[in-house]
Amino acid sequence: MTLLVIVTMLLVYVGMNLILSKGLIRIVLGTSILSHAAHLFLIYMSFNNGEFPFDKVSKTQVDAIPQALILTAIVISFATTALLLVLVYRNHQLNKDNDVEHLGGANE
């Protein structure tokens, strides 16, 4: 059970580091990894009494609502990642660069 928490914290750390970088592709990867951390957190919250239903012979029940939320979140994160990749590709076509510092308005 604590392994799931540690993996979730590690994914949050890696995702936030990628989001705070200057490359647009790294930002897209960071949002994707951060969404995976949110999915793992929802899985962790769906278990009762800290027991996994697939461990040994446990009789615990799993709530179906967090599972439905996870499926919905997976679809939304996939669509968000696809949209961000299209925007990064279009920016690369126009500016020939994928750096955050070169985005923005007119030069002053």
Side-chain angles (χ1 to χ4, degrees):
M1 193 67 155
T2 59
L3 180 65
L4 191 61
V5 174
I6 292 171
V7 169
T8 303
M9 290 180 357
L10 181 68
L11 286 176
V12 168
Y13 175 74
V14 170
M16 288 305 295
N17 277 337
L18 286 173
I19 286 175
L20 295 174
S21 65
K22 294 184 180 183
L24 292 176
I25 295 293
R26 288 178 181 237
I27 292 172
V28 172
L29 288 174
T31 57
S32 178
I33 290 174
L34 201 59
S35 69
H36 289 305
H39 301 160
L40 281 179
F41 180 70
L42 285 173
I43 289 172
Y44 173 73
M45 296 303 291
S46 68
F47 297 127
N48 296 329
N49 302 327
E51 295 180 8
F52 291 122
F54 44 82
D55 278 349
K56 301 176 188 172
V57 185
S58 64
K59 304 276 184 192
T60 60
Q61 298 293 323
V62 178
D63 192 14
I65 292 180
Q67 293 176 5
L69 286 173
I70 292 168
L71 287 174
T72 305
I74 288 170
V75 171
I76 291 171
S77 66
F78 176 72
T80 304
T81 303
L83 175 69
L84 288 175
L85 285 174
V86 168
L87 291 174
V88 167
Y89 179 68
R90 182 66 178 155
N91 178 50
H92 181 69
Q93 281 183 336
L94 293 176
N95 298 334
K96 303 292 187 230
D97 192 15
N98 281 334
D99 198 15
V100 173
E101 292 180 351
H102 298 122
L103 295 176
N107 294 332
E108 295 182 24

